[in-house]
Amino acid sequence: MPQTDAIQSLESLRDVLRAFAKERDWDQYHTPKNLSMALIAEAAELIEHFQWVAGEKSHQLDDKTRTSVEEELADILIYLVRISDKLDIDLYAAVARKIGINERKYPADKVRGSAKKYTEYE
Amino acid sequence: MPQTDAIQSLESLRDVLRAFAKERDWDQYHTPKNLSMALIAEAAELIEHFQWVAGEKSHQLDDKTRTSVEEELADILIYLVRISDKLDIDLYAAVARKIGINERKYPADKVRGSAKKYTEYE
Amino acid sequence: MPQTDAIQSLESLRDVLRAFAKERDWDQYHTPKNLSMALIAEAAELIEHFQWVAGEKSHQLDDKTRTSVEEELADILIYLVRISDKLDIDLYAAVARKIGINERKYPADKVRGSAKKYTEYE
Amino acid sequence: MPQTDAIQSLESLRDVLRAFAKERDWDQYHTPKNLSMALIAEAAELIEHFQWVAGEKSHQLDDKTRTSVEEELADILIYLVRISDKLDIDLYAAVARKIGINERKYPADKVRGSAKKYTEYE
């Protein structure tokens, strides 16, 4: 198994995750469908940390919560990279394209500070 | 605004997203709480592409669906990086730690090919 | 098809939904797995209405948003009743049991007004 | 507190939940925003039970899983009724209206058994 301390890029993370699944014979479960379910389950665990706290206090995490939040974020990245790998999608290319779309959709000079416009953001 | 074609690392993506929010005065909305909601909303848009198709067919995307899936994955990465930035969390360190936890929790020689064990995976 | 204006109970809703699926030959898609995905997708559409507004303002919905929120709530109930039907689960019995559990877990005299306790609510 | 064995309608459930929150002084946390987060977190707990199993096997639940699934469904109904109460929305009216919309959107004679049409269902 590749060393985890060598994870410094999405490509190296992808390779570690490939090896992890292969060693456990888990590829049979890793359909995009199942992985999308696993990803949203982790996103919900993240939500749980914030659901009863005020937005402006959601930056302040006690140590135990912080550790948990780090784990949920890690899990989300793991499943995100895994789905992208299974679908052969280049995440950086996808994100560059999406930011370009967002720039055209939300021109800075039109939407600046406007909650109204912003709430229509999707 | 930094060039999106220069996005080749999580750090450069973080910087692009910082600039994007700053230009629009959107940091006021970007609490971890709100960002966690935005992230799960994107994860659900991903789910929608797979909810009525069989798992083994979820690899086969027509062109239109593929483009949409790429956008959802991009959006998830955008919010993931944004939350991590707001909470000052190093995603690669978090993911390396989490994979270490998973390795101890699911020893390859014990869980190999075992759906039973795997279904207890969380 | 049963008249929708006759929906005044979970049982009558269940019957309407059974007829709706049968008329369309959709039972083949309505596995608990797929329905759970459809349900969370609707829950996410609900989330989207609230993600950028302050909590205390989330009661105030303009007419268009209110109509949309009503539709998301309806969709959630539809899928909830549909899953329960497919798994032969009595929702009222389940909810009575769960409230009993919650009462023991969160004794009113111990948790009253305590955000700390409350944030541990799951 | 109202008796939970008296819960035989959404109205009686609403009343029990009102009393439950009032006794704990929890209304301050029950904004539609926060409740929508709590609801999706429960929807995700439901998802977790199905994410690694094949769709056609997702009907077969062992006793422990069945009990958990019942609890998640109960929690979803609890938060659904709670949000509807806070927003003064009549769930049965909303669901009747939504089913009417769906009937026009998916005419039985056009979509019958058609996965293609169905996958465009939202």
Side-chain angles (χ1 to χ4, degrees):
Chain A
M1 165 123 207
Q3 292 300 303
T4 55
D5 56 4
I7 301 176
Q8 291 298 336
S9 68
L10 296 186
E11 289 73 20
S12 55
L13 173 55
R14 178 201 62 196
D15 291 343
V16 166
L17 297 175
R18 278 185 190 173
F20 193 94
K22 188 174 164 59
E23 285 170 356
R24 285 158 186 79
D25 195 16
W26 279 355
D27 280 282
Q28 58 185 311
Y29 304 113
H30 284 189
T31 59
K33 177 170 183 149
N34 288 358
L35 291 167
S36 75
M37 296 175 80
L39 193 154
I40 206 167
E42 299 301 336
E45 290 187 20
L46 182 67
I47 283 264
E48 285 186 52
H49 295 296
F50 300 122
Q51 67 195 13
W52 305 123
V53 299
E56 65 274 17
K57 289 189 183 170
S58 62
H59 290 91
Q60 304 156 11
L61 309 177
D62 60 49
D63 286 351
K64 192 184 154 203
T65 303
R66 187 177 184 80
T67 300
S68 294
V69 165
E70 285 178 0
E71 291 182 14
E72 322 308 2
L73 295 177
D75 280 325
I76 293 168
L77 183 58
I78 285 170
Y79 288 119
L80 181 64
V81 167
R82 201 76 185 117
I83 296 175
S84 303
D85 188 19
K86 288 293 182 181
L87 292 171
D88 198 22
I89 287 173
D90 179 332
L91 275 173
Y92 287 130
V95 95
R97 192 167 64 85
K98 189 55 167 61
I99 291 172
I101 292 171
N102 290 347
E103 284 183 322
R104 290 186 293 278
K105 198 169 177 183
Y106 306 102
D109 57 343
K110 285 203 179 169
V111 305
R112 190 171 294 119
S114 163
K116 187 172 180 311
K117 280 279 179 183
Y118 196 76
T119 55
E120 291 159 19
Y121 186 93
E122 46 188 66
Chain B
M1 166 120 206
Q3 293 300 302
T4 55
D5 57 3
I7 301 176
Q8 291 298 335
S9 68
L10 296 186
E11 290 71 22
S12 56
L13 173 55
R14 177 200 62 198
D15 292 343
V16 167
L17 297 176
R18 278 185 189 172
F20 194 94
K22 188 175 165 59
E23 285 170 356
R24 286 157 185 79
D25 196 16
W26 280 356
D27 280 283
Q28 58 185 311
Y29 304 112
H30 284 188
T31 60
K33 177 172 183 148
N34 288 357
L35 291 167
S36 74
M37 297 175 79
L39 192 154
I40 206 166
E42 299 300 337
E45 291 187 19
L46 181 67
I47 282 265
E48 285 185 53
H49 294 296
F50 300 122
Q51 65 195 12
W52 306 122
V53 298
E56 64 274 16
K57 291 191 184 167
S58 64
H59 290 91
Q60 303 156 9
L61 309 177
D62 60 49
D63 286 352
K64 191 184 157 206
T65 304
R66 187 176 184 82
T67 299
S68 294
V69 165
E70 285 179 358
E71 290 183 14
E72 322 308 1
L73 295 177
D75 281 325
I76 293 168
L77 184 59
I78 285 171
Y79 288 119
L80 181 64
V81 166
R82 201 75 185 119
I83 296 176
S84 302
D85 188 20
K86 288 294 182 180
L87 291 171
D88 198 21
I89 286 173
D90 179 332
L91 274 173
Y92 287 131
V95 94
R97 194 166 64 84
K98 189 54 167 58
I99 291 172
I101 292 171
N102 289 348
E103 284 183 322
R104 288 187 294 278
K105 200 170 175 183
Y106 306 100
D109 56 344
K110 286 203 180 170
V111 305
R112 190 170 295 120
S114 163
K116 188 173 179 310
K117 280 279 177 183
Y118 196 76
T119 55
E120 290 159 18
Y121 187 92
E122 46 187 67
Chain C
M1 163 123 207
Q3 293 300 304
T4 56
D5 57 3
I7 300 176
Q8 292 297 335
S9 68
L10 296 186
E11 289 73 20
S12 55
L13 173 55
R14 178 202 60 197
D15 292 344
V16 167
L17 297 176
R18 278 185 190 173
F20 193 95
K22 188 174 165 58
E23 287 170 355
R24 285 157 186 78
D25 195 17
W26 280 356
D27 280 281
Q28 58 185 312
Y29 304 113
H30 283 190
T31 59
K33 177 172 181 147
N34 288 358
L35 291 166
S36 74
M37 296 174 80
L39 193 154
I40 206 167
E42 299 300 336
E45 290 186 20
L46 181 67
I47 282 262
E48 285 184 53
H49 294 296
F50 300 123
Q51 66 195 12
W52 304 123
V53 299
E56 65 274 15
K57 290 191 182 168
S58 62
H59 290 91
Q60 304 157 10
L61 309 178
D62 60 50
D63 286 352
K64 191 184 155 205
T65 304
R66 186 176 184 80
T67 300
S68 295
V69 165
E70 285 178 1
E71 291 183 13
E72 322 307 3
L73 295 177
D75 281 325
I76 293 168
L77 184 58
I78 285 170
Y79 289 119
L80 182 63
V81 167
R82 200 78 184 116
I83 296 176
S84 302
D85 188 21
K86 288 294 182 180
L87 292 172
D88 198 22
I89 286 173
D90 179 331
L91 273 173
Y92 287 132
V95 94
R97 193 167 65 84
K98 190 53 166 61
I99 291 172
I101 292 171
N102 289 347
E103 284 182 322
R104 290 186 294 279
K105 198 170 175 183
Y106 306 101
D109 57 344
K110 284 203 179 170
V111 305
R112 191 171 293 120
S114 163
K116 188 175 179 310
K117 281 278 178 185
Y118 196 77
T119 55
E120 290 159 17
Y121 187 93
E122 47 188 66
Chain D
M1 164 123 206
Q3 293 300 302
T4 54
D5 56 5
I7 301 175
Q8 292 297 336
S9 68
L10 295 186
E11 290 71 22
S12 55
L13 173 55
R14 177 200 63 198
D15 292 343
V16 166
L17 297 176
R18 278 185 189 171
F20 194 94
K22 189 175 164 60
E23 285 170 357
R24 286 158 185 78
D25 195 17
W26 280 355
D27 280 283
Q28 59 186 310
Y29 305 113
H30 284 189
T31 59
K33 177 170 182 151
N34 288 358
L35 291 166
S36 74
M37 296 174 80
L39 193 154
I40 205 167
E42 299 300 337
E45 291 188 19
L46 182 67
I47 282 264
E48 285 185 52
H49 294 296
F50 300 121
Q51 66 195 13
W52 306 122
V53 298
E56 65 275 16
K57 291 192 183 167
S58 64
H59 290 91
Q60 304 156 10
L61 308 178
D62 60 50
D63 287 352
K64 193 184 155 204
T65 304
R66 189 177 182 81
T67 300
S68 295
V69 165
E70 285 179 1
E71 291 184 14
E72 322 308 2
L73 295 177
D75 280 325
I76 292 168
L77 183 59
I78 285 170
Y79 288 119
L80 181 64
V81 167
R82 202 75 186 116
I83 296 176
S84 302
D85 188 21
K86 288 294 181 180
L87 291 172
D88 198 22
I89 287 173
D90 179 331
L91 274 173
Y92 287 131
V95 94
R97 193 166 65 83
K98 189 56 166 60
I99 291 171
I101 292 171
N102 289 346
E103 284 182 322
R104 289 186 293 279
K105 199 170 176 182
Y106 306 101
D109 57 343
K110 285 204 180 171
V111 306
R112 190 171 294 121
S114 162
K116 189 174 177 312
K117 280 278 177 183
Y118 196 77
T119 55
E120 288 159 19
Y121 187 93
E122 45 188 67

